[in-house]
Amino acid sequence: MIEATLVLIKPDGVMRGLIGEIIKRFEQRGLKIAGLKMVRVDEDFAKQHYIEHVDKDFYKSLEEFITSGPVVAMAIEGVDAVELVRKVVGATEPKSALPGTIRGDYAHVSYAYADKKKISIKNLVHASGNKEDAERELNLWFSIEELHSYPNVHELHTM
Ligand code: CDP
Ligand code: MG
């Protein structure tokens, strides 16, 4: 039941000075940060990360967005972490994301607006969509040496 998942603070979150605020949301939920680094992604790496989207209409603008500045990559662990992290992050479309979620508290734009402007949806965070994606993405972003094993207080309280 303990899972690991990948979270990225995308360039908009970094440029807006929201790194600390976003990391705080995961820490306060009791999730463990097992890996953390800042990375500048190139086009080739973007295609590997977003492999399922490469042929889609929005891919070009997504690639421009994700390569436009550094991202903060995190490996996050916890009980049912893949699903829980998606819940903390909120819906893909900021307009639809519920208040209380990261996307619902810090963004508001709709798909329709972004499509009309031919820009990517700037929704602050990436989180792996399911367990298979989480495993693939963690392997892509982190080496074994970059993933740390240590006890956190929340584990002591759920033993
Ligand atoms: O990030 P998430 O898994 O919630 O959504 P996705 O469907 O896997 O799409 C990946 C990313 O592409 C989104 O987070 C948006 O930044 C972007 N996107 C977009 O700009 N326009 C769309 N119509 C769909 C996705
Ligand atoms: Mg996705």
Side-chain angles (χ1 to χ4, degrees):
M1 282 188 199
I2 304 281
E3 297 172 357
T5 189
L6 178 79
V7 170
L8 305 176
I9 304 175
K10 294 179 179 179
D12 56 331
V14 173
M15 289 181 209
R16 288 176 60 184
L18 292 172
I19 295 171
E21 175 58 39
I22 290 169
I23 292 175
K24 189 191 88 175
R25 302 283 180 119
F26 300 110
E27 285 191 318
Q28 78 185 9
R29 202 69 200 258
L31 292 158
K32 186 198 287 185
I33 297 172
L36 181 67
K37 60 182 176 180
M38 186 177 263
V39 181
R40 184 73 186 247
V41 171
D42 65 16
E43 283 79 6
D44 181 56
F45 194 89
K47 287 186 180 73
Q48 290 182 61
H49 173 69
Y50 278 128
I51 191 158
E52 81 268 36
H53 295 316
V54 166
D55 296 327
K56 295 187 182 157
D57 287 345
F58 64 81
Y59 182 72
K60 197 172 173 296
S61 57
L62 175 58
E63 186 179 271
E64 272 168 28
F65 168 42
I66 204 69
T67 59
S68 67
V71 304
V72 172
M74 284 179 274
I76 293 190
E77 284 177 14
V79 177
D80 299 329
V82 175
E83 183 190 346
L84 182 62
V85 163
R86 292 284 295 193
K87 201 183 285 183
V88 171
V89 168
T92 304
E93 183 189 38
K95 180 192 171 189
S96 306
L98 292 175
T101 65
I102 296 168
R103 288 165 170 173
D105 283 348
Y106 291 101
H108 75 278
V109 165
S110 67
Y111 281 133
Y113 183 85
D115 287 351
K116 193 169 177 213
K117 291 278 190 177
K118 295 188 169 56
I119 55 169
S120 185
I121 292 267
K122 294 184 180 57
N123 53 9
L124 302 147
V125 182
H126 166 83
S128 304
N130 55 56
K131 285 187 222 176
E132 293 71 36
D133 284 356
E135 204 181 322
R136 185 186 68 77
E137 292 172 7
L138 285 168
N139 279 327
L140 178 65
W141 283 83
F142 286 97
S143 66
I144 298 285
E145 299 75 43
E146 290 173 323
L147 295 173
H148 299 275
S149 185
Y150 64 94
N152 76 356
V153 163
H154 302 282
E155 287 170 333
L156 299 176
H157 292 177
T158 53
M159 262 162 56

